[in-house]
Structure formats: structure tokens, C-alpha cells
Amino acid sequence: DAGITQSPRHKVTETGTPVTLRCHQTENHRYMYWYRQDPGHGLRLIHYSYGVKDTDKGEVSDGYSVSRSKTEDFLLTLESATSSQTSVYFCAISGGARWAYEQYFGPGTRLTVT
Amino acid sequence: QKEVEQNSGPLSVPEGAIASLNCTYSDRVSQSFFWYRQYSGKSPELIMSIYSNGDKEDGRFTAQLNKASQYVSLLIRDSQPSDSATYLCAVNMPPYTGNQFYFGTGTSLTVIP
């Protein structure tokens, strides 16, 4: 997984609780992304980061926030989880020194909101 | 509106045959094109990247790009049961747009032994 880890890998939480997912990379890539993947929708971008403390919204950002205080870590927070946020969440990176335009994915986090 | 379109399939081919997967994209600014393979329950895995018109071969995989027609395809020769997966087409926008990637919904491929 190109030096990308995600934690936790699985989580079950209750509606209304805050949840934070962590993505950690050891590749020193500039860009980091959070996607969600749902049947029939494919991969949809939630937020992305183009540098430390530099983030922007993606296609489905409502209900999510992110932070990037270090190059290697990108956090995704569900401020108040809802059942519609039950999904598989993937972190991805790109912008490496050698293959700047390629994007690599972490192993994913399966989140269930009950 | 940036769109990447793929036939969802499922596509079934016999073992040893050529599998052909197609993708069209709407934004002419797109610069880089990728194919990912995703096994059930796993994360997408990059298998091919292509940046200029023409063909690019890597083992049994060939990516074809036609920017004028806004079309990219993936050919898998001598298909194996282990190639059974969902294949995602992705398009990359230039860095000044945030280096964003846009994905199709994927084509499910089954290789029948």
C-alpha cells in the first residue's frame, strides 16, 4: 500500500458521536486525499490537502472536516456521525518526487454508523 | 462538470481471451490517465498510467489513450481468473486545480476458467 496506513481499519459507532479516522504516510507525498466508496457511486472525494495546513473541499464534504498538521498525517473527522456516513473510507496520496501524478491508496477503513 | 464514464458491466471473458475495458472523460484539461484494479473488499491498486496519445504496454496490460476522442481503454491479454476484479478508470486534473482525480464507477470483470 505504498507506505500508507489507516486507523482504525474497522469501526462501529452510534449516530451523533464524533469519529476521527487517521491516515499516515511514510512516502513524503505532498497531496493527501480522503474518499468514500459506496455501491453505485464509486469513489467520491471528501477533502484533500495540498500541503501542511492546506486543505480544500471535495465533492461530498458536508458533515466532514479534516486537518493536516504534519506532512505524514491527514485526519478525517465526522463531527456528528449519521447513518448515511456508513461507508468504506480510503486515504490516498500523490505528488511524490518520482511519480508526481500517480495516486496510491491506503487499505481503507470500514465505518458503520448504527 | 467533470465526468468519467465506464460501462459497469459485468464483463465476462473466458480464460485466455482478451478483455477490453473502456472509459470516456468529459474535461479536455485532463492530463493524466490511470487504471486501477480493485478486488472485492480491498483498496484500489494502480496498474497502469498513461500520459500521451497512443499505446502503453506493461506485461499483459495495454493502455490506449486518444485525447482527441477523450477516450482511454485497457486491454488485458491472456486473461486469467486472477484478473477477475473491478477496474476503475481515473483522470487527473493539473496541479493548479488541486491535483484532483476523478473516477469512473468501475467495470466488473469476471474471467471464466
Side-chain angles (χ1 to χ4, degrees):
Chain A
D1 294 321
I4 310 169
T5 57
Q6 292 184 231
S7 59
R9 294 293 313 279
H10 301 271
K11 186 170 182 65
V12 180
T13 192
E14 293 184 348
T15 298
T17 60
V19 176
T20 296
L21 308 183
R22 180 180 183 239
C23 177
H24 178 78
Q25 61 145 331
T26 59
E27 305 293 325
N28 200 33
H29 280 48
R30 176 183 176 188
Y31 297 93
M32 298 186 75
Y33 310 79
W34 279 106
Y35 294 91
R36 60 179 290 175
Q37 188 174 41
D38 305 289
H41 291 280
L43 283 161
R44 292 183 291 175
L45 182 66
I46 304 171
H47 282 279
Y48 66 98
S49 169
Y50 45 96
V52 173
K53 299 190 188 302
D54 293 322
T55 65
D56 207 347
K57 296 179 180 180
E59 176 187 359
V60 290
S61 60
D62 287 349
Y64 301 94
S65 62
V66 291
S67 66
R68 191 173 179 196
S69 59
K70 297 185 291 185
T71 298
E72 57 267 34
D73 290 325
F74 193 33
L75 303 180
L76 176 71
T77 298
L78 288 65
E79 293 137 11
S80 178
T82 67
S83 58
S84 64
Q85 294 176 311
T86 292
S87 187
V88 179
Y89 291 85
F90 289 106
C91 174
I93 64 174
S94 74
R98 185 177 178 192
W99 302 112
Y101 301 112
E102 296 184 345
Q103 186 177 67
Y104 300 94
F105 284 82
T109 294
R110 184 171 295 276
L111 177 67
T112 302
V113 184
T114 62
Chain B
Q1 182 84 15
K2 299 174 177 63
E3 293 182 349
V4 179
E5 300 283 345
Q6 296 181 252
N7 290 330
S8 61
L11 175 65
S12 294
V13 299
E15 184 174 355
I18 296 175
S20 178
L21 306 166
N22 304 314
C23 174
T24 59
Y25 60 95
S26 63
D27 197 323
R28 290 188 176 275
V29 180
S30 306
Q31 291 189 340
S32 310
F33 307 86
F34 307 92
W35 284 99
Y36 289 82
R37 178 176 62 199
Q38 187 175 24
Y39 293 115
S40 180
K42 300 295 185 181
S43 60
E45 173 193 8
L46 180 65
I47 56 172
M48 288 290 286
S49 57
I50 186 166
Y51 304 101
S52 55
N53 281 327
D55 294 359
K56 178 182 177 182
E57 187 174 318
D58 184 359
R60 297 186 295 110
F61 299 100
T62 299
Q64 300 174 316
L65 175 61
N66 183 326
K67 289 188 177 181
S69 300
Q70 295 177 236
Y71 175 93
V72 58
S73 65
L74 179 71
L75 300 178
I76 306 174
R77 292 183 301 281
D78 187 24
S79 295
Q80 301 297 309
S82 60
D83 295 325
S84 298
T86 296
Y87 289 80
L88 304 174
C89 173
V91 170
N92 175 232
M93 298 293 126
Y96 59 77
T97 64
N99 207 40
Q100 294 189 53
F101 291 74
Y102 295 87
F103 288 82
T105 54
T107 298
S108 175
L109 172 66
T110 299
V111 180
I112 303 168

